[in-house]
Amino acid sequence: MIGVAVGDIAGSRFEFSDCGTKDFELFNEECDFTDDTIMAVAVAEAIMNCGIKAPEEELHDAFIFSMRKYGKEYPHPTGGYGASFTRWLRIEDPKPYGSYGNGSAMRVAACGYAADSLSTAEKLARCSAEVTHNHPEGIKGAVCVAACIYLAKTGSSKEQIKSVVENRFYPLKENVEEIRKHYSFNESCQGTVPQAIQAFLESKNFEDAIRNAVYLGGDSDTLGAITGGIAEAYYGVPENIKKKARSYLTKDMLEVIDKFEKEYRKI
């Protein structure tokens, strides 16, 4: 879970300004967590409250409750929430609004980490997406990221992960340098998830994965969050990076992350 926060925080200061290099300071005073980390924590809390074997209706209710709770506790995050999600947080009777934005993918990491099977990871991811991002592309993005995390944490190779992504979700035909030639800010799942996965696939270690993701440009905090979630499952997170990222987070966020990792992951 902390890998999501690392990528989010590292990418936060470049969300609207391409850093243009992999050689950047990973953390500084301009960095902060954004809605990506907030909602990833919300999804983790919902899973702990509900359990991975809960019926889909109960999962939907748990995700709605937790995301709206954190939306109220953190109403003005760095970078803000999307307009449609902001309305969803505020209205009396929240309904899904057909989004295919990358918000469903940025928050889904806990679904892959908590799952005890690939099918459970995908069920949890689908339910977490459906409460807002019920467009097929919004669901696909979340399911794909959760599947990658589950596969990475259970020992699949990069080649195996890539094969699953290409056979079931997205083509991965360009490397990071090729993507950079034409890539621009994109808030859709289909314009963020495959790029984030490619950043992971080309990486040498956890930090390199984050640097690849931010270097891509575009929606850098979300690219970092998605890549960070997958890279943590595959590599783990170096202690110095983990410690620094934790210093940006609030006490209640850290309590959820620590409880989640104790319950569902071996650190």
Side-chain angles (χ1 to χ4, degrees):
M1 283 294 301
I2 197 66
V4 175
V6 172
D8 178 35
I9 294 165
S12 62
R13 63 191 171 111
F14 300 115
E15 182 175 10
F16 302 109
S17 59
D18 184 356
C19 70
T21 178
K22 284 182 63 175
D23 185 20
F24 59 91
E25 190 176 10
L26 206 60
F27 302 109
N28 71 10
E29 68 281 355
E30 297 176 22
C31 295
D32 200 358
F33 65 83
T34 77
D35 59 322
D36 299 50
T37 298
I38 296 168
M39 289 302 140
V41 169
V43 167
E45 183 172 276
I47 290 173
M48 288 190 291
N49 288 340
C50 200
I52 64 173
K53 300 300 184 183
E56 292 188 9
E57 185 175 351
E58 290 183 22
L59 286 166
H60 286 147
D61 289 344
F63 288 129
I64 291 169
F65 176 84
S66 189
M67 284 191 271
R68 282 166 63 86
K69 169 191 166 184
Y70 277 85
K72 291 174 182 176
E73 290 182 6
Y74 299 92
H76 304 293
T78 297
Y81 297 110
S84 295
F85 189 72
T86 297
R87 287 193 295 272
W88 183 87
L89 289 172
R90 294 174 179 172
I91 59 178
E92 185 174 337
D93 185 23
K95 301 293 184 185
Y97 47 88
S99 176
Y100 53 83
N102 56 27
S104 61
M106 74 187 190
R107 68 194 188 206
V108 78
C111 298
Y113 285 126
D116 58 2
S117 68
L118 183 58
S119 62
T120 299
E122 295 183 5
K123 180 193 80 169
L124 293 171
R126 177 169 48 78
C127 289
S128 75
E130 284 173 339
V131 296
T132 53
H133 294 57
N134 60 332
H135 187 284
E137 290 291 344
I139 295 169
K140 181 169 77 170
V143 171
C144 179
V145 174
C148 287
I149 289 171
Y150 178 80
L151 292 168
K153 80 165 189 174
T154 53
S156 292
S157 67
K158 288 183 179 180
E159 291 75 16
Q160 290 169 322
I161 294 169
K162 182 178 181 180
S163 177
V164 170
V165 173
E166 292 193 310
N167 288 331
R168 295 187 52 204
F169 299 104
Y170 305 102
L172 298 171
K173 296 180 179 179
E174 295 182 311
N175 62 34
V176 168
E177 289 296 344
E178 289 169 333
I179 293 168
R180 265 195 60 83
K181 292 177 183 178
H182 60 80
Y183 196 56
S184 60
F185 192 88
N186 193 316
E187 293 182 298
S188 71
C189 272
Q190 58 269 40
T192 309
V193 172
Q195 291 80 5
I197 292 169
Q198 187 62 38
F200 156 70
L201 290 173
E202 286 188 41
S203 64
K204 303 170 187 175
N205 51 49
F206 176 83
E207 182 176 343
D208 191 49
I210 299 300
R211 292 186 179 281
N212 281 342
V214 176
Y215 173 58
L216 282 171
D219 194 359
S220 56
D221 60 322
T222 299
L223 285 160
I226 295 169
T227 301
I230 301 169
E232 178 186 6
Y234 189 84
Y235 296 114
V237 182
E239 285 300 320
N240 62 319
I241 294 178
K242 184 185 297 186
K243 182 178 179 180
K244 185 63 178 177
R246 289 176 64 92
S247 73
Y248 287 87
L249 302 179
T250 64
K251 181 181 177 182
D252 60 333
M253 286 180 173
L254 291 172
E255 287 175 350
V256 172
I257 290 170
D258 290 345
K259 183 180 178 183
F260 180 87
E261 292 190 338
K262 183 177 180 180
E263 187 165 345
Y264 289 109
R265 299 196 61 211
K266 294 180 180 178
I267 303 173

